Amino acid sequence: MYLAVAAGGFRRYATYRMATAAGVFTNTVFGVILVYTYLALWDERPHLGGYDQSQAVTYVWLGQCLYATLAIQGGGAEKDLMERIRTGEIAVDLYRPVDLQLWWLAGDMGRALFQMLGRGVIPFLFGALFFPMALPTGVTPWAGFVVALLLAAVVSFAIRYLAALSVFWLMDGMGVNQALMITGIFFSGMVLPLNAFPGPFGEIVRALPWAAQLQMPADVLMGETSPLTAFAFQAAWAVALLAAARMAQSAATRRVVVQGG
């Protein structure tokens, strides 16, 4: 059942060919801009955040690869869920003989897989072809990266799903979407690696769940952290956020007021 839902999510996003092509172009252009920005910054601050220049470049292209995959700025399953809650169509979902959270998780995993293959791989390969990148040659780091990426996708979904459930009380998701966009871009490390933030503030942002999205997979791939430590961090946040979402869902659906009908 849930595999079919995931496959449906994959097929749905595969139909948006022009949007995918535009996304590939946009991520490639932004990647080039960020690479030269990072190179200038690393010229002034060598080994900033513990990275050398090739690692900084690798981080940029991983970010462009995972930007849509992990819906770092939003735009995944939560957008549809918010709209269904707002219009009252969520009542149909609640009558389905399936687990609501797993249903939306499966669909978002299908979306993430397509965005990875359809939009993320090409900019990453472009970066590897034209810029020096610190990519491992062994199988083990890549296997660890795949596991970290899967856990990152679950954490990303959990953050967005929990935020989407707030529409049961707020009745509108516009402000929530804006908050997701701002927090996702900054706290995931899309602007600057979280390792580069100094002092107590750096320790705080590296302990937040957004660090599980980009920073952890990047560090696992480049050998900057122990894979088991990264997996434990990501899994802990995934379990905590999914459990919190489960409780919020239970509270919201205990007495549902259907909007729009």
Side-chain angles (χ1 to χ4, degrees), residues 148-223:
L149 180 56
L150 179 60
L151 289 169
V154 176
V155 172
S156 172
F157 166 79
I159 292 171
R160 291 177 286 112
Y161 186 79
L162 184 58
L165 292 176
S166 67
V167 179
F168 273 112
W169 292 275
L170 299 176
M171 309 303 178
D172 184 80
M174 185 175 297
V176 177
N177 278 324
Q178 292 296 318
L180 281 174
M181 179 182 69
I182 295 170
T183 55
I185 287 292
F186 184 80
F187 289 113
S188 69
M190 279 296 297
V191 177
L192 194 67
L194 300 181
N195 294 342
F197 290 100
F201 181 72
E203 294 178 6
I204 291 172
V205 296
R206 287 189 291 272
L208 295 175
W210 291 275
Q213 293 181 289
L214 175 57
Q215 190 69 60
M216 287 295 107
D219 282 347
V220 167
L221 182 64
M222 294 187 289

Side-chain angles (χ1 to χ4, degrees), residues 39-116:
L39 289 176
L41 178 59
W42 259 257
D43 278 338
E44 295 296 323
R45 296 285 303 277
H47 302 289
L48 178 64
Y51 288 168
D52 59 28
Q53 282 195 342
S54 63
Q55 288 176 312
V57 170
T58 305
Y59 186 90
V60 168
W61 291 112
L62 278 175
Q64 296 307 307
C65 176
L66 301 183
Y67 172 78
T69 303
L70 301 178
I72 287 176
Q73 198 173 350
E78 82 287 349
K79 184 177 180 181
D80 293 335
L81 179 56
M82 287 179 185
E83 183 63 16
R84 292 183 73 82
I85 295 172
R86 188 189 68 81
T87 61
E89 294 178 10
I90 190 66
V92 177
D93 299 336
L94 294 173
Y95 274 109
R96 290 194 179 107
V98 295
D99 184 271
L100 185 68
Q101 189 180 71
L102 290 178
W103 174 279
W104 286 97
L105 173 60
D108 199 60
M109 291 300 102
R111 176 207 60 79
L113 179 59
F114 172 77
Q115 295 287 22
M116 176 72 176

